[in-house]
Amino acid sequence: MKYYISEQDVCKELLNLKRGKAPGPDNIPSWILKDFAPELSSPITRIFNASIQESSVPKLWKEADVIPIPKVNIIKDAEKDLRPISLTTILSKTLEHFVTEWIMKQINRLIDRRQIEALPGLSTTHALVSLFHHLYSLSDVPNQCVRILLLDFSEAFDRINNHFLMTKMEGMDIDPILMAWVRNFLTGRRQRVKIGKFVSSLEPVNGGVPQGTVLGPILFIIMINDLLMEYQARWKYVDDSTLTETITRDQPSSLQTTLNSINQWCETCDMRLNTKKCKELLICFWKHKPDVSPLILNNQPIEVVKSAKLLGLIFNDHLKWNDQVGQIVKKSSKRLYMLRLLNELVLTLKPLSLFM
């Protein structure tokens, strides 16, 4: 077979599972797969290879428990304040590891070099260091200001049009065998909402890519790979896209033209930007800041903010870290307060370590 998974590789993947990993709708806990990896690896390997060879994913592996994760402390709007995370079966994710590795080997040379998440050995830290090195370098030059545009996709994974996705995969010359498997992986999916011990009925999913899967981020990267390809000052980390523009006193801003191009791409690819969550920062140390026109998206102005959060890091328009440090101190104070209370109960070190 062209794509063959060995029993040794499956056993290795199972042994590397985390014991506390949440199971999917099959309710098979990870510790069983981990502890009995030598005994289970043989039949699981046969299932994996049959799935690839026949381009067919077991129905149970195409089901998901959707867990709503709060984005904010106080939930006011269920649609806006909750992030749906799909818990699929652990065996499905294990097989996805192999498929993802095969796909990445084929498309690695075609992936946008500014899509940091897809590049081997790179992380959010590399993306942030690259961006802020760029910002500090520009801010040191006299008579220059920097406009930063933070883009936010509306229901990024859920809105992916699978027809467009397959077309983009064809354009990247991905092997038809893998494309057929991915097509089957995305077809006929069902999901249910799970809160604690309560679950809803299973309902069909008409499109999109399930969040929480191993393959999901790679498919999203393929979907947006050609976005901003010709714009140099861009940083992409899965669905977090950031671009900057350098402006001078005698040079008008052209960022609106770039934003119009991005919005046109979204309309063509059946994607959508969330106007309310897209933000703009202006980094300028002039005595009188330039009078730049507001950026308009979907007939609405994009909010200009003093500080923003990107990949878990808070920064402001003066390139200082007061807000980030303040947040860390606030979280640390809460943790220390809990430790002081628990210490008064004379608990052993093990329970205390859970709060550290």
Side-chain angles (χ1 to χ4, degrees), residues 41-322:
S41 57
S42 178
I44 290 175
T45 300
R46 290 197 291 270
I47 295 173
F48 283 1
N49 285 319
S51 175
I52 298 298
Q53 188 176 11
E54 299 173 10
S55 299
S56 178
V57 181
K59 289 185 177 180
L60 183 58
W61 292 5
K62 294 195 284 186
E63 295 179 357
D65 287 335
V66 178
I67 311 296
I69 305 298
K71 297 180 182 179
V72 294
N73 294 328
I74 301 177
I75 300 172
K76 297 181 179 180
D77 190 320
E79 293 186 3
K80 297 179 180 179
D81 299 338
L82 294 174
R83 177 182 290 105
I85 300 298
S86 298
L87 291 180
T88 54
T89 62
I90 296 175
L91 288 177
S92 174
K93 292 178 180 178
T94 305
L95 178 54
E96 289 172 56
H97 276 289
F98 295 103
V99 176
T100 299
E101 183 178 348
W102 292 330
I103 291 177
M104 285 305 299
K105 285 181 179 179
Q106 296 181 17
I107 68 174
N108 186 57
R109 60 184 176 82
L110 301 174
I111 289 292
D112 183 0
R113 296 295 93 183
R114 293 286 184 163
Q115 178 58 263
I116 306 297
E117 199 276 338
L119 302 180
L122 300 186
S123 64
T124 55
T125 301
H126 295 89
L128 291 169
V129 168
S130 174
L131 171 62
F132 283 99
H133 174 74
H134 174 77
L135 295 178
Y136 281 115
S137 299
L138 293 179
S139 63
D140 286 340
V141 179
N143 300 320
Q144 279 192 173
C145 289
V146 185
R147 296 185 82 178
I148 306 174
L149 178 58
L150 306 174
L151 300 177
D152 187 279
F153 287 96
S154 178
E155 301 174 340
F157 282 69
D158 296 332
R159 287 192 61 87
I160 290 181
N161 185 308
N162 292 341
H163 172 72
F164 291 148
L165 175 61
M166 290 296 129
T167 301
K168 290 176 182 285
M169 292 180 73
E170 288 179 1
M172 300 179 81
D173 293 327
I174 296 176
D175 194 303
I177 296 176
L178 297 180
M179 285 190 56
W181 189 91
V182 171
R183 184 180 290 109
N184 187 272
F185 173 80
L186 296 174
T187 304
R189 300 196 68 88
R190 299 193 302 167
Q191 64 184 24
R192 63 185 181 182
V193 178
K194 183 176 182 180
I195 302 178
K197 296 181 179 180
F198 302 95
V199 294
S200 66
S201 59
L202 284 165
E203 298 294 336
V205 180
N206 297 323
V209 172
Q211 293 190 56
T213 59
V214 176
L215 195 57
I218 300 303
L219 296 180
F220 186 86
I221 287 172
I222 293 173
M223 185 69 189
I224 69 166
N225 188 57
D226 58 344
L227 174 64
L228 293 171
M229 267 290 204
E230 298 179 356
Y231 194 86
Q232 184 61 30
R234 68 189 186 280
W235 285 263
K236 296 158 71 176
Y237 197 92
V238 194
D239 58 335
D240 285 301
S241 296
T242 305
L243 59 152
T244 67
E245 180 195 44
T246 306
I247 56 177
T248 60
R249 295 184 186 274
D250 56 351
Q251 178 185 4
S253 172
S254 61
L255 195 56
Q256 181 64 59
T257 303
T258 304
L259 180 58
N260 293 340
S261 177
I262 296 172
N263 203 31
Q264 181 60 47
W265 178 93
C266 290
E267 293 179 2
T268 302
C269 296
D270 201 19
M271 300 288 283
R272 183 184 301 167
L273 289 172
N274 189 332
T275 308
K276 292 183 178 180
K277 292 187 177 181
C278 291
K279 306 296 181 184
E280 178 194 352
L281 281 86
L282 177 63
I283 298 178
C284 184
F285 299 103
W286 301 349
K287 184 175 182 180
H288 300 289
K289 291 188 177 182
D291 185 18
V292 292
S293 301
L295 297 173
I296 305 299
L297 177 62
N298 299 324
N299 298 320
Q300 297 181 31
I302 290 180
E303 182 184 5
V304 180
V305 295
K306 295 292 185 180
S307 65
K309 190 173 185 179
L310 177 64
L311 300 177
L313 182 71
I314 303 174
F315 68 102
N316 60 32
D317 57 359
H318 285 83
L319 293 179
K320 294 184 178 180
W321 308 104
N322 305 50

